[in-house]
Amino acid sequence: MVGIVIVSHSRLAAEGIRELAAQMAGPDLRIIACGGMEDGSIGTDAMRIQNALIEADSGDGVCAMVDLGSGIMSTETAIELLEFDDDHSDIQVRIADAPVLEGSVSAAVSASSGDSLEEVIAAAEEARGMKKLLD
Amino acid sequence: MASKVYECISKIADIIIENKDFLTELDREIGDADHGINMARGYTEALGQLPQDESDIGAVLKKAGMVLLSKVGGASGPLYGTAYMKAAKAAAGKTELTVQDGKDILDAIIGGIKQRGKAERGEKTMLDAIIPGYEAYCAAADAGKDLAECLDAMCAAAAEGVEYTKTIIATKGRASYLGERSIGHQDPGATSSLLTMEAIRDWVRAL
Ligand SMILES: Nc1ncnc2c1ncn2[C@@H]1O[C@H](COP(=O)(O)OP(=O)(O)OP(=O)(O)O)[C@@H](O)[C@H]1O
Ligand SMILES: [Mg+2]
């Protein structure tokens, strides 16, 4: 099953989004919140993200959901660190180009139903065009 | 005895930590008021973790890059972290640096920052200090100047680059949310890059 990592500058934001997305997911989904720095302060840490990606992988790849700015850059850095990490260079990771909260909910539903990494990313990215107010 | 490369990085760390409040104030104007806090946190951690007696410049730069990637926390973390890692590659196995090595290192740093941040010159980022600095360094090198003179030229051009960031709109990073309101303020990352270059220059001059 594809795993999901939620990256945010804020620990609380990442955990809150994880909580919401996990409600929609089956019990087998690996969905990891990776928010803030090791000491709890606001920010992103490429190495913490790298570890979260490893934890989320069960062999079918990982969908990374990211917030802004360094959320993206640190996740890209983490993916590069994995490529150079001999024990984990085979882990497939993709970043979804999607709003982090809505995209995480869609990705959780998709991953739980056994979709491939491509399909999970597509589901997350569909959230980009989701209308909230229907007239 | 501490290696030269360790001494040089600890000089950079001292200057950055000394300027923590200044950099944070600059980031308060056009960002989220954390650049100095981020940079000081990263360099404080680096000072504690770097091997003091390792003389392979590449090895020490690589370690510094790994620490900054992880401990800075903001965009400047992956950016400076990547810069150090690229510099490490260019300096791998070396224990002394020539004028030509300096060129190669600066070139690698710029490539790394561009790749990581997807920015170009003129977007009000650290690149607006580093790229002119690199060009001036190369011009001085090509004119046969010695390392200290090349670094002087680099710092002078980088300082002009920082001034130039006051006149342009930010199109990358947090400051881009401000659009035109970012005009009139100097970029925090360009400023920390200038401080870094000046620290290196001053350290070389004091040798
Ligand atoms: N895409 C980029 N390319 C190059 N430099 C950048 C980019 N984005 C930001 N910067 C530089 O980083 C500096 C800001 O660093 P700082 O440590 O404050 O990160 P931040 O913007 O607060 O990070 P975050 O994205 O986590 O909010 C800017 O002044 C700019 O020089
Ligand atoms: Mg900032």
Side-chain angles (χ1 to χ4, degrees), chain B residues 98-100 102-103 134-147 149-151 153:
Chain B
T98 63
V99 170
Q100 179 62 41
K103 255 193 194 180
Y134 166 67
E135 289 174 353
Y137 180 101
C138 290
D142 293 345
K145 307 281 191 198
D146 68 21
L147 182 61
E149 290 167 332
C150 291
L151 293 173

CSV table of all heavy atoms in Angstrom, one decimal, chain B residues 98-100 102-103 134-147 149-151 153:
chain,number,residue,atom,x,y,z
B,98,THR,N,43.1,26.9,-4.2
B,98,THR,CA,43.8,27.9,-5.1
B,98,THR,C,42.7,28.9,-5.5
B,98,THR,O,41.5,28.7,-5.3
B,98,THR,CB,44.3,27.2,-6.3
B,98,THR,OG1,43.2,26.6,-7.0
B,98,THR,CG2,45.3,26.1,-6.0
B,99,VAL,N,43.1,29.9,-6.3
B,99,VAL,CA,42.2,30.9,-6.9
B,99,VAL,C,41.2,30.1,-7.8
B,99,VAL,O,40.0,30.4,-7.7
B,99,VAL,CB,43.0,32.0,-7.6
B,99,VAL,CG1,42.0,32.8,-8.5
B,99,VAL,CG2,43.7,32.9,-6.7
B,100,GLN,N,41.7,29.2,-8.6
B,100,GLN,CA,40.9,28.4,-9.5
B,100,GLN,C,39.8,27.6,-8.7
B,100,GLN,O,38.7,27.5,-9.1
B,100,GLN,CB,41.7,27.5,-10.4
B,100,GLN,CG,40.9,26.7,-11.3
B,100,GLN,CD,40.1,27.5,-12.3
B,100,GLN,OE1,40.5,28.5,-12.9
B,100,GLN,NE2,38.8,27.0,-12.6
B,102,GLY,N,38.5,28.4,-5.9
B,102,GLY,CA,37.5,29.3,-5.5
B,102,GLY,C,36.4,29.5,-6.6
B,102,GLY,O,35.2,29.5,-6.3
B,103,LYS,N,36.9,29.6,-7.8
B,103,LYS,CA,36.0,29.8,-8.9
B,103,LYS,C,35.0,28.6,-9.0
B,103,LYS,O,33.8,28.7,-9.2
B,103,LYS,CB,36.8,29.8,-10.2
B,103,LYS,CG,37.0,31.1,-10.9
B,103,LYS,CD,37.6,30.8,-12.3
B,103,LYS,CE,38.1,32.1,-12.9
B,103,LYS,NZ,38.7,31.8,-14.3
B,134,TYR,N,30.4,36.2,-7.7
B,134,TYR,CA,31.2,35.2,-8.5
B,134,TYR,C,31.8,35.9,-9.7
B,134,TYR,O,32.9,35.6,-10.0
B,134,TYR,CB,30.2,34.1,-8.9
B,134,TYR,CG,30.6,33.2,-10.0
B,134,TYR,CD1,31.7,32.3,-9.8
B,134,TYR,CD2,30.0,33.2,-11.2
B,134,TYR,CE1,32.1,31.5,-10.8
B,134,TYR,CE2,30.4,32.3,-12.2
B,134,TYR,CZ,31.5,31.5,-12.0
B,134,TYR,OH,31.9,30.6,-13.0
B,135,GLU,N,31.0,36.7,-10.4
B,135,GLU,CA,31.5,37.3,-11.6
B,135,GLU,C,32.7,38.2,-11.3
B,135,GLU,O,33.7,38.2,-12.1
B,135,GLU,CB,30.4,38.1,-12.3
B,135,GLU,CG,29.3,37.2,-12.9
B,135,GLU,CD,28.1,37.9,-13.4
B,135,GLU,OE1,28.0,39.2,-13.2
B,135,GLU,OE2,27.3,37.3,-14.1
B,136,ALA,N,32.6,39.0,-10.3
B,136,ALA,CA,33.7,39.9,-9.9
B,136,ALA,C,35.0,39.1,-9.5
B,136,ALA,O,36.1,39.4,-9.8
B,136,ALA,CB,33.3,40.8,-8.8
B,137,TYR,N,34.7,38.0,-8.8
B,137,TYR,CA,35.8,37.1,-8.4
B,137,TYR,C,36.5,36.6,-9.7
B,137,TYR,O,37.8,36.6,-9.8
B,137,TYR,CB,35.3,35.9,-7.6
B,137,TYR,CG,36.3,34.9,-7.1
B,137,TYR,CD1,36.8,34.9,-5.8
B,137,TYR,CD2,36.8,33.9,-8.0
B,137,TYR,CE1,37.8,34.0,-5.4
B,137,TYR,CE2,37.8,33.0,-7.6
B,137,TYR,CZ,38.2,33.1,-6.3
B,137,TYR,OH,39.2,32.2,-5.9
B,138,CYS,N,35.7,36.1,-10.6
B,138,CYS,CA,36.3,35.5,-11.9
B,138,CYS,C,37.1,36.6,-12.6
B,138,CYS,O,38.2,36.3,-13.1
B,138,CYS,CB,35.2,35.0,-12.8
B,138,CYS,SG,34.5,33.5,-12.1
B,139,ALA,N,36.5,37.8,-12.7
B,139,ALA,CA,37.2,38.9,-13.4
B,139,ALA,C,38.6,39.2,-12.8
B,139,ALA,O,39.6,39.3,-13.4
B,139,ALA,CB,36.3,40.1,-13.5
B,140,ALA,N,38.6,39.2,-11.4
B,140,ALA,CA,39.8,39.5,-10.7
B,140,ALA,C,40.8,38.3,-10.9
B,140,ALA,O,42.0,38.5,-11.1
B,140,ALA,CB,39.5,39.7,-9.2
B,141,ALA,N,40.3,37.1,-10.9
B,141,ALA,CA,41.1,35.9,-11.1
B,141,ALA,C,41.8,36.0,-12.5
B,141,ALA,O,43.0,35.7,-12.6
B,141,ALA,CB,40.3,34.6,-10.9
B,142,ASP,N,40.9,36.3,-13.5
B,142,ASP,CA,41.4,36.3,-14.8
B,142,ASP,C,42.5,37.4,-15.0
B,142,ASP,O,43.3,37.4,-15.9
B,142,ASP,CB,40.3,36.5,-15.8
B,142,ASP,CG,39.4,35.3,-15.8
B,142,ASP,OD1,39.8,34.2,-15.3
B,142,ASP,OD2,38.2,35.4,-16.3
B,143,ALA,N,42.4,38.5,-14.2
B,143,ALA,CA,43.4,39.6,-14.3
B,143,ALA,C,44.6,39.2,-13.5
B,143,ALA,O,45.5,40.1,-13.3
B,143,ALA,CB,42.7,40.9,-13.8
B,144,GLY,N,44.7,38.0,-12.9
B,144,GLY,CA,45.9,37.6,-12.3
B,144,GLY,C,46.0,38.0,-10.8
B,144,GLY,O,47.1,37.9,-10.2
B,145,LYS,N,44.9,38.4,-10.2
B,145,LYS,CA,45.0,38.8,-8.8
B,145,LYS,C,45.1,37.6,-7.9
B,145,LYS,O,44.8,36.4,-8.2
B,145,LYS,CB,43.7,39.5,-8.4
B,145,LYS,CG,43.3,40.6,-9.3
B,145,LYS,CD,44.1,41.9,-9.0
B,145,LYS,CE,43.5,43.1,-9.8
B,145,LYS,NZ,44.4,44.2,-9.9
B,146,ASP,N,45.6,37.8,-6.6
B,146,ASP,CA,45.7,36.7,-5.7
B,146,ASP,C,44.4,36.5,-5.0
B,146,ASP,O,43.4,37.2,-5.2
B,146,ASP,CB,46.9,37.0,-4.7
B,146,ASP,CG,46.6,38.1,-3.7
B,146,ASP,OD1,45.4,38.5,-3.5
B,146,ASP,OD2,47.6,38.6,-3.2
B,147,LEU,N,44.4,35.4,-4.2
B,147,LEU,CA,43.1,35.0,-3.6
B,147,LEU,C,42.4,36.1,-2.7
B,147,LEU,O,41.2,36.4,-2.9
B,147,LEU,CB,43.3,33.8,-2.7
B,147,LEU,CG,42.1,33.2,-2.0
B,147,LEU,CD1,41.1,32.7,-3.0
B,147,LEU,CD2,42.5,32.0,-1.1
B,149,GLU,N,42.7,39.3,-3.0
B,149,GLU,CA,42.2,40.4,-3.9
B,149,GLU,C,40.9,39.9,-4.6
B,149,GLU,O,40.0,40.7,-4.8
B,149,GLU,CB,43.3,40.7,-4.9
B,149,GLU,CG,44.5,41.5,-4.3
B,149,GLU,CD,45.7,41.6,-5.2
B,149,GLU,OE1,45.9,40.7,-6.1
B,149,GLU,OE2,46.4,42.6,-5.1
B,150,CYS,N,40.9,38.7,-5.0
B,150,CYS,CA,39.7,38.1,-5.7
B,150,CYS,C,38.5,38.2,-4.7
B,150,CYS,O,37.4,38.5,-5.1
B,150,CYS,CB,39.9,36.7,-6.1
B,150,CYS,SG,41.1,36.5,-7.5
B,151,LEU,N,38.8,37.8,-3.4
B,151,LEU,CA,37.7,37.8,-2.4
B,151,LEU,C,37.3,39.3,-2.1
B,151,LEU,O,36.1,39.5,-1.9
B,151,LEU,CB,38.2,37.1,-1.2
B,151,LEU,CG,38.4,35.6,-1.3
B,151,LEU,CD1,39.1,35.1,0.0
B,151,LEU,CD2,37.2,34.9,-1.6
B,153,ALA,N,37.2,41.7,-4.4
B,153,ALA,CA,36.4,42.0,-5.5
B,153,ALA,C,35.0,41.4,-5.4
B,153,ALA,O,33.9,42.0,-5.6
B,153,ALA,CB,37.0,41.6,-6.8
